[in-house]
Amino acid sequence: MWVFLLMMVSLLLCPVAESTASADVKPGCQDKCGDVSVPYPFGIGEPTCAMNEDFILNCSSGADGQPELFFRRNMPARNISVLEGTISASLYTAFACYDKNGSWTDYFSQSFNLGSGPFTLSDTRNAFTVIGCDTYAGMTNYEFTYGAACLSLCTENVNMSDENPCSGSGCCQTSIPKGLKSLYYPLSSFFNYTNVSDFNLCGFAFLVDKNSFKISDWPLSLKPKYGNNAYTADIVIEWVVENKTCEQAKADNTSAYACGTNANCTYPEIGQGYRCSCNEGFEGNPYLQEGCQDIDECKVRGKNACEEGTCENVIGDYKCRCPRGKYGDGKIGCKGPGINTIIAGN
């Protein structure tokens, strides 16, 4: 009787264990916070779940009381990509508002620092953006080794349409350099909005992912909101596992080489550190020891796998075996008359 009950309990528990297992995290580690997946080398809370302390993220209650993932204490993380080596996070927008007499009514400047770890702001995905008709915003890094500015002017209301580019009239955008880790950007005005007060009393400045930016979301009549409804913009942060070359990482006995089995070491375009990617013919998480698994190309490609012959999966690749009586590579086409033609000829 007891044996039967134990077998029933085991059968009931097995599907639950399988459904909660994740191929992207270490065993026993939390794989999601809210609706955001957290793949290794990142980990939630426990140091043993992340590659090192740089990759530990915090999952706590957000503004609406629901679980929210945070990067660098106060930056909500929206998405983590192992393939691209990126994190999407959100930041409050900076703003400055005036009344019709030209007096300040609201003001907020933004600053943030990614620290000394393996994180930098993406120079290809982000753009510094300014909205307003009498708005000037400068930006510098904390080390004061970089500086730029954006000026947005207009004398009449501009239709902020997605079909119109951010051209300097009501909206200005400028790029950022590679390797930037910190930014500070306050706003100012030349005429305190007195010349445009009928349709524009506030200016905004923010760094934003160009892929998510919609200029139609920023009409010139917009005024700031606060608390849970405050305006934010998504930014893209790039990461590497270590600020070393592949050769240095493999030779360094003081730290573990990050790439698992069937994975290779690659250099990102940001020009520092290294990342890992699965070898051709494999897929999965290259930072886990057994994270890169063989792709069954015969299943994935289906009928398109072979030009001729029978598909056979092999580790890291696949073969197309030609029909009897033919020879060559069935991926591109077999040669020879074939067994049916030979029999018919006899």
Side-chain angles (χ1 to χ4, degrees):
M1 182 66 179
W2 286 108
V3 174
F4 175 75
L5 289 174
L6 287 171
M7 290 176 63
M8 291 299 294
V9 170
S10 297
L11 288 170
L12 289 171
L13 289 177
C14 282
V16 175
E18 290 175 2
S19 65
T20 56
S22 172
D24 268 343
V25 300
K26 282 187 171 182
C29 293
Q30 186 177 343
D31 64 344
K32 295 188 78 173
C33 177
D35 59 356
V36 181
S37 297
V38 183
Y40 189 80
F42 293 89
I44 299 173
E46 295 294 329
T48 55
C49 290
M51 180 170 290
N52 55 53
E53 62 181 10
D54 288 321
F55 292 92
I56 298 174
L57 303 179
N58 179 35
C59 183
S60 58
S61 296
D64 58 358
Q66 298 299 312
E68 190 167 20
L69 187 68
F70 288 91
F71 171 77
R72 286 293 182 267
R73 293 185 181 180
N74 59 354
M75 296 173 64
R78 305 302 183 199
N79 177 267
I80 301 173
S81 173
V82 167
L83 183 63
E84 297 179 354
T86 59
I87 302 175
S88 294
S90 63
L91 286 170
Y92 290 117
T93 60
F95 57 81
C97 297
Y98 302 80
D99 60 22
K100 293 192 174 183
N101 296 319
S103 300
W104 256 347
T105 58
D106 290 287
Y107 185 83
F108 172 70
S109 62
Q110 178 60 275
S111 64
F112 60 91
N113 187 5
L114 301 181
S116 59
F119 304 99
T120 58
L121 293 167
S122 173
D123 63 297
T124 57
R125 291 281 298 276
N126 297 312
F128 184 61
T129 305
V130 170
I131 302 290
C133 277
D134 185 12
T135 306
Y136 172 85
M139 57 176 171
T140 61
N141 61 349
Y142 279 27
E143 297 78 16
F144 219 70
T145 57
Y146 162 77
C150 217
L151 173 64
S152 177
L153 297 173
C154 45
T155 57
E156 59 184 10
N157 195 11
V158 179
N159 179 24
M160 307 297 269
S161 168
D162 293 325
E163 287 74 32
N164 297 326
C166 195
S167 60
S169 180
C171 176
C172 172
Q173 280 190 331
T174 189
S175 60
I176 61 171
K178 284 184 179 181
L180 205 61
K181 288 177 171 288
S182 61
L183 270 183
Y184 166 62
Y185 40 94
L187 287 86
S188 60
S189 172
F190 287 104
F191 303 106
N192 292 359
Y193 281 62
T194 52
N195 296 338
V196 294
S197 60
D198 289 341
F199 54 88
N200 179 219
L201 287 171
C202 295
F204 295 85
F206 45 89
L207 194 69
V208 65
D209 176 10
K210 290 181 285 188
N211 293 346
S212 67
F213 176 64
K214 291 180 64 178
I215 195 172
S216 59
D217 292 337
W218 298 92
L220 294 175
S221 59
L222 202 66
K223 294 183 179 180
K225 295 181 179 180
Y226 303 92
N228 296 348
N229 298 318
Y231 295 120
T232 62
D234 287 343
I235 64 171
V236 178
I237 300 163
E238 297 195 37
W239 53 271
V240 294
V241 284
E242 285 188 295
N243 288 318
K244 298 178 179 180
T245 66
C246 297
E247 291 73 20
Q248 288 171 336
K250 292 175 182 178
D252 191 350
N253 294 325
T254 62
S255 61
Y257 175 55
C259 304
T261 306
N262 299 318
N264 63 81
C265 185
T266 61
Y267 293 116
E269 292 185 1
I270 57 177
Q272 63 179 16
Y274 74 95
R275 293 184 188 139
C276 304
S277 61
C278 291
N279 294 337
E280 188 175 355
F282 295 85
E283 63 182 358
N285 190 325
Y287 299 99
L288 291 168
Q289 189 56 40
E290 303 295 334
C292 293
Q293 298 294 313
D294 176 56
I295 299 171
D296 189 338
E297 286 89 353
C298 296
K299 288 184 178 180
V300 173
R301 296 171 181 265
K303 295 179 180 180
N304 296 321
C306 300
E307 181 71 23
E308 190 175 357
T310 304
C311 185
E312 178 186 342
N313 186 62
V314 295
I315 300 300
D317 202 355
Y318 73 102
K319 296 179 180 179
C320 292
R321 295 192 176 277
C322 292
R324 289 180 62 191
K326 288 192 174 186
Y327 63 93
D329 185 357
K331 290 182 181 179
I332 57 177
C334 300
K335 299 177 182 179
I339 191 67
N340 293 332
T341 303
I342 294 172
I343 292 172
N346 291 336

